[in-house]
Amino acid sequence: MKKIFLAVFGLVMMTATAARAEHKLLVTDILDPKQVEAQATLEYTHAAGNVASPLDGTGKVYYNTTESLYSVGVGIVPGFEMSASIPYLFNERAKVEMPGLNPELEQRDGFGDFALEGKFHLLGGEEERYAVVGGLGLKFDTAGKGSGGTGTTDVSPFLAASCKVNHHHTPYAIYRATIRNNGEQDTHTLTLGVEKEINHTFTLDAKFDANFNTATSKVTANEDFDLEAATYVQVAHNFYLIPSVAYVWATDASDKETGVKVKDVDGVRLGFSLYYLF
């Protein structure tokens, strides 16, 4: 039961991490040569759902995690930037409770997998009404599942576009494909969002992520979603505080070998980031 439970919630966490890597600058903005941005994020997630087993009946599943992400990006040449990131898992607790059985508990902590990403300008630009960028992310299997890693090497090409409706509103869209090895699920992610500038101090960012996870020899296909609202608060020149809150949920998923199904999964994610643009 722990295997299918962690598979569903692990994908929620991995796609959330990918979304956080976009930093304060709009996803279609490119750092100027030698310009640097740095971000540190702390997040807490709580989620719960129901589990059904052909042999043991029905029960509940719970997931709680506190983790951080540290990232830095740098402009290389005009129209191209590189970024690097690494997460640290303070505590992850996955618990399965079934009537008449002892609770199953899984715990992890430690550094996660190191990742690199490149992003390049395709069309338009920061000073134009619209902009289109492309990119490629690589997440290496540097930590392993025993600590904060996923046990996979991931390749993630993506395409993003934005359009300035007016001076204060900028909707954007992102498509990202995450291809994983070792027989794990691949994920296709569609993000739709909008930034609204209230004034020079406050900017609101609301977005919706839909993650479509493919089937494998062990797990059926499933989807997970999150709806997030964040506020960029400029407390000094180019220095921001970014609190955020998100509602997350997932569709049913089953283990093909045991028939165990996880369903009715939802939860909340709270985040706080420090961001600085050099």
Side-chain angles (χ1 to χ4, degrees):
M1 285 181 290
K2 288 188 293 184
K3 183 185 297 183
I4 178 64
F5 171 65
L6 291 176
V8 174
F9 283 100
L11 284 168
V12 174
M13 294 303 99
M14 284 187 285
T15 52
T17 300
R20 289 199 305 271
E22 298 305 345
H23 310 307
K24 163 63 186 75
L25 291 178
L26 187 67
V27 64
T28 52
D29 291 340
I30 301 292
L31 293 170
D32 295 330
K34 298 183 180 180
Q35 195 174 32
V36 177
E37 63 178 359
Q39 181 167 323
T41 298
L42 178 66
E43 288 191 336
Y44 169 75
T45 302
H46 168 77
N50 297 314
V51 61
S53 169
L55 297 178
D56 302 313
T58 60
K60 298 288 292 185
V61 291
Y62 303 93
Y63 182 90
N64 292 278
T65 183
T66 302
E67 63 179 335
S68 58
L69 180 73
Y70 307 95
S71 59
V72 61
V74 59
I76 306 298
V77 296
F80 179 72
E81 69 173 67
M82 288 286 297
S83 62
S85 64
I86 188 168
Y88 183 79
L89 188 62
F90 291 102
N91 187 37
E92 179 187 70
R93 292 170 56 88
K95 186 178 182 181
V96 182
E97 294 183 346
M98 303 287 288
L101 298 177
N102 292 327
E104 295 185 61
L105 183 64
E106 180 90 1
Q107 297 189 74
R108 297 193 308 156
D109 60 69
F111 279 103
D113 297 324
F114 177 74
L116 290 173
E117 184 171 279
K119 185 166 65 173
F120 53 89
H121 170 256
L122 291 174
L123 295 171
E126 185 176 351
E127 303 302 324
E128 300 185 41
R129 184 178 180 184
Y130 66 92
V132 180
V133 302
L136 178 67
L138 297 173
K139 186 195 70 64
F140 306 96
D141 185 11
T142 57
K145 289 186 176 181
S147 52
T150 66
T152 63
T153 297
D154 303 351
V155 179
S156 303
F158 69 92
L159 186 69
S162 66
C163 178
K164 296 179 181 178
V165 176
N166 53 46
H167 181 67
H168 300 289
H169 296 83
T170 306
Y172 60 89
I174 310 167
Y175 167 72
R176 179 185 293 267
T178 302
I179 312 303
R180 302 181 177 92
N181 65 352
N182 296 337
E184 298 295 336
Q185 291 178 299
D186 298 329
T187 302
H188 298 273
T189 301
L190 179 63
T191 300
L192 299 175
V194 60
E195 283 195 0
K196 176 179 174 59
E197 182 181 339
I198 306 300
N199 51 46
H200 291 300
T201 303
F202 295 96
T203 299
L204 299 179
D205 181 23
K207 65 180 179 180
F208 171 73
D209 289 327
N211 303 286
F212 303 92
N213 308 303
T214 62
T216 70
S217 60
K218 298 179 181 180
V219 183
T220 59
N222 63 289
E223 298 81 42
D224 57 85
F225 310 90
D226 67 80
L227 185 62
E228 181 180 272
T231 302
Y232 305 141
V233 184
Q234 186 171 219
V235 295
H237 182 64
N238 288 344
F239 179 62
Y240 293 82
L241 305 180
I242 311 176
S244 64
V245 59
Y247 174 63
V248 300
W249 70 99
T251 61
D252 298 353
S254 299
D255 187 306
K256 293 182 178 180
E257 298 176 352
T258 65
V260 172
K261 176 183 286 189
V262 174
K263 57 185 180 178
D264 305 323
V265 172
D266 67 347
V268 63
R269 185 176 69 242
L270 304 175
F272 184 81
S273 298
L274 301 175
Y275 173 89
Y276 191 71
L277 179 65
F278 298 87

